[in-house]
Amino acid sequence: MIKVMVVEDHPVFAEGLVALLGDAEIDVVGVASTGEAAVDLAGRVAPEVVLMDLHLPGITGVEATARILADRPETVVLALTMLTDDESVLAAIRAGARGYLLKESTGEDIVRSVRAVAAGQVVFGASTGERLLSVLATTAARPRPLPELTDREVEILDLVAVGLNNQAIARRLVLSEKTVRNHVSNIFAKLHVSDRSAAVVRARDAGLGSG
């Protein structure tokens, strides 16, 4: 059975998900109602899949996604949310989500998507997928942010702006902490900043760290 953790702050909807997954013989190993609780619970119950709402009390579902995957890169996150804006979709993907469904999806679609991401597939609802392709096409035509940085440095700065520390970034990108520290030092030098806070400001100005 697939081990799933549900992260949802509306009790009635959470109970419905638990019942739906149970009827489909999917093992719900835990339910969390805040982002902080989700990060803590994931470390204890070791889910294969996390069904993640993005609009949560405390830290957002996007940040919780990034933290969970930093600690447990083998876990797969499937966003299940009411948020339909392009920024939320892209933020979830940047944080590492492998799928994005709207809460209006049918129970059958949710169950099928959980099984699909557990099997290594990437899943998006029809309307989300169409918008995502459009946004990515538009993004590809734009100049890359902070051209003075390498692709890897932009990737690391994005995670710094999300709030991850060097250890979490190393786990997320499968790098040594020393390598991450060296990249961060190079980023500071190239951006002419002296600390992490100033780097985050530059990152946010460039559109990074939107999670």
Side-chain angles (χ1 to χ4, degrees):
M1 294 178 69
I2 303 169
K3 296 169 61 179
V4 174
M5 185 177 88
V6 172
V7 185
E8 170 58 54
D9 65 328
H10 290 91
V12 173
F13 193 78
E15 290 172 7
L17 286 175
V18 171
L20 171 70
L21 297 172
D23 289 343
E25 297 186 345
I26 293 173
D27 185 17
V28 178
V29 295
V31 178
S33 59
T34 69
E36 291 89 346
V39 175
D40 176 67
L41 186 60
R44 291 188 282 114
V45 301
E48 296 171 65
V49 177
V50 176
L51 264 180
M52 177 72 73
D53 188 9
L54 298 185
H55 186 66
L56 296 168
I59 66 172
T60 67
V62 170
E63 186 172 350
T65 293
R67 292 188 186 182
I68 288 170
L69 295 179
D71 292 334
R72 294 188 48 78
E74 67 274 23
T75 292
V76 180
V77 174
L78 173 60
L80 180 63
T81 180
M82 294 179 65
L83 300 178
T84 60
D85 60 288
D86 297 336
E87 184 177 344
S88 294
V89 176
L90 290 175
I93 295 168
R94 290 191 189 108
R98 297 285 293 173
Y100 197 104
L101 291 180
L102 298 181
K103 287 184 176 179
E104 64 191 33
S105 301
T106 66
E108 182 180 352
D109 283 341
I110 293 171
V111 169
R112 185 188 305 116
S113 297
V114 167
R115 289 181 172 144
V117 296
Q121 299 177 38
V122 176
V123 175
F124 296 99
S127 60
T128 302
E130 290 171 4
R131 275 206 328 280
L132 178 61
L133 289 175
S134 175
V135 171
L136 290 178
T138 302
T139 302
R142 295 173 184 163
R144 189 169 69 82
L146 302 173
E148 64 267 47
L149 302 183
T150 66
D151 288 343
R152 176 63 91 182
E153 287 166 351
V154 170
E155 186 177 23
I156 288 174
L157 180 58
D158 186 50
L159 295 176
V160 168
V162 169
L164 300 187
N165 60 26
N166 288 353
Q167 183 181 35
I169 293 171
R171 290 177 183 167
R172 179 80 173 85
L173 300 180
V174 195
L175 298 172
S176 70
E177 283 190 62
K178 181 179 179 182
T179 297
V180 172
R181 283 198 303 271
N182 289 340
H183 279 305
V184 170
S185 295
N186 290 338
I187 291 168
F188 286 2
K190 290 180 180 181
L191 297 183
H192 305 291
V193 298
S194 58
D195 58 33
R196 222 172 179 88
S197 296
V200 168
V201 170
R202 289 292 305 277
R204 294 287 171 84
D205 287 345
L208 302 178
S210 57

